[in-house]
Amino acid sequence: MTEPAEPDEQTPPDDRHARADGSADGGEHPAGATDADTGAERLERAVRAAEQALIEFEVAVETFRIEVDNFSRLHHQRLGPMYSRLDELDALIAEARAEQTGDPEDKRRADEARALVMPMPGVEELFGGWLDSDGLSPEAADMLTGRPVSPPPRVRPSEEARRLYRELARMAHPDLAQDAHESDRRSAFIARVNTAYASGDVEALIALKAEWEAGPAPEEPRRSRAEELYARLEWLAQRKELLVSVAKQLEEGAIGQMLKLAPDDPDRLLEEIAEELLARVAEKEATLAELARG
């Protein structure tokens, strides 16, 4: 994924675009209109534009977060055994050399290499990726109940999944709610959307779209007073800054940096790393065989 773009700062359009009759600056207001009315309308449009820009940015950040999570999980599942094999070969090679030379320094290196093969896991390694905001992740629950773990099939969900995800995010985003009850309903629904999108489940996303469209009609935005609209703009600005921070952390992390190496095809990057690791395994196995022959 390309680096998420920040939403543009929203400024009210100028008078000639704001007026209902399209008259140029300095013209008269439409019948019954006042300066306060047109100012409120411009502010209303600025808020709605800022909301849509924020949603687009949130979709970009969430898409990248899912790619980072999926890449990390697939990297561990697909390549973890290769890294373990490389560590084992390093230890075997060091032990073979130490046995041949009898050098205390070679023995020390062999002990260090062997210690790296099965390190004592830390707390983050034990629980990293298996806990989410609701407790155990679906993968962890599957493991504890004996059900097979279903990893994501690829780093980046398909184009159809991405299209459906963006549509659902625009329709049901919690930031478009006008009261706490509606916000909670939308948040719960979007959590289900995120789960389906993370696994690339197009059928689930289609079903969720049908469910949303058959549910209660979305609220029409209420015309707020100037004070409320200014408060809304301030909240949107604060939310944008939080998302910028989240995006920066994702991009600067180890997995985010790896994804930047292949922004158009991250799944192919995994294959290339696997091919490189297999070549290294073959090279070390040849070295070990040569040492065994003396």
Side-chain angles (χ1 to χ4, degrees):
M1 170 184 167
T2 56
E3 188 171 316
E6 294 183 30
D8 295 333
E9 295 293 339
Q10 301 300 320
T11 55
D14 60 34
D15 286 351
R16 64 177 177 274
H17 295 302
R19 290 178 182 149
D21 63 353
S23 57
D25 290 349
E28 296 182 359
H29 295 298
T34 66
D35 289 337
D37 289 336
T38 55
E41 290 169 2
R42 289 197 299 272
L43 188 56
E44 182 82 20
R45 284 193 292 273
V47 169
R48 299 299 165 237
E51 287 176 340
Q52 291 302 317
L54 182 68
I55 289 172
E56 290 296 323
F57 189 46
E58 286 205 44
V59 167
V61 172
E62 179 64 14
T63 296
F64 189 53
R65 185 194 67 77
I66 286 171
E67 290 183 12
V68 167
D69 288 349
N70 285 355
F71 190 96
S72 179
R73 188 171 304 165
L74 290 171
H75 183 274
H76 176 73
Q77 291 175 336
R78 294 181 185 177
L79 308 183
M82 296 185 193
Y83 287 117
S84 297
R85 178 60 178 161
L86 285 170
D87 287 343
E88 175 67 22
L89 286 168
D90 283 338
L92 290 172
I93 290 170
E95 289 166 350
R97 284 176 176 157
E99 185 176 350
Q100 286 182 356
T101 65
D103 189 327
E105 184 63 19
D106 287 341
K107 179 64 169 63
R108 182 189 64 79
R109 293 194 186 98
D111 291 341
E112 289 181 351
R114 176 56 61 187
L116 293 175
V117 174
M118 295 184 63
M120 181 65 69
V123 173
E124 291 184 359
E125 292 173 299
L126 285 171
F127 295 104
W130 298 109
L131 291 174
D132 56 24
S133 58
D134 298 319
L136 287 176
S137 70
E139 291 85 353
D142 285 343
M143 290 187 70
L144 291 176
T145 56
R147 295 192 298 270
V149 177
S150 300
R154 53 191 296 189
V155 174
R156 177 173 296 162
S158 68
E159 287 299 322
E160 178 67 5
R162 297 172 76 187
R163 181 186 66 78
L164 288 165
Y165 175 70
R166 294 180 73 85
E167 288 183 9
L168 285 162
R170 291 190 189 103
M171 289 190 297
H173 200 284
D175 287 349
L176 297 179
Q178 297 295 324
D179 59 59
H181 175 74
E182 176 65 9
S183 179
D184 291 343
R185 183 177 81 89
R186 287 169 176 260
S187 295
F189 182 81
I190 286 295
R192 295 164 59 200
V193 171
N194 288 342
T195 298
Y197 179 62
S199 61
D201 193 337
V202 172
E203 291 184 0
L205 290 169
I206 291 174
L208 285 165
K209 182 180 178 182
E211 176 185 330
W212 181 262
E213 291 174 342
E219 297 179 65
E220 290 295 326
R222 296 181 307 196
R223 179 60 59 86
S224 303
R225 291 296 82 199
E227 294 80 7
E228 294 174 341
L229 291 171
Y230 278 121
R232 180 66 170 166
L233 282 173
E234 183 178 358
W235 181 88
L236 290 167
Q238 293 172 351
R239 177 68 176 168
K240 185 198 75 172
E241 291 303 315
L242 174 62
L243 288 170
V244 168
S245 176
V246 170
K248 183 178 180 181
Q249 291 177 6
L250 288 170
E251 291 159 6
E252 294 180 350
I255 297 297
Q257 291 297 312
M258 291 180 71
L259 284 172
K260 284 186 176 181
L261 298 176
D264 297 326
D265 192 359
D267 294 279
R268 176 56 190 165
L269 178 60
L270 280 176
E271 296 174 9
E272 292 174 354
I273 295 174
E275 292 170 1
E276 179 184 343
L277 291 178
L278 284 173
R280 289 171 57 190
V281 167
E283 180 182 345
K284 289 181 182 294
E285 285 178 340
T287 300
L288 182 62
E290 184 178 347
L291 286 168
R293 288 193 296 268

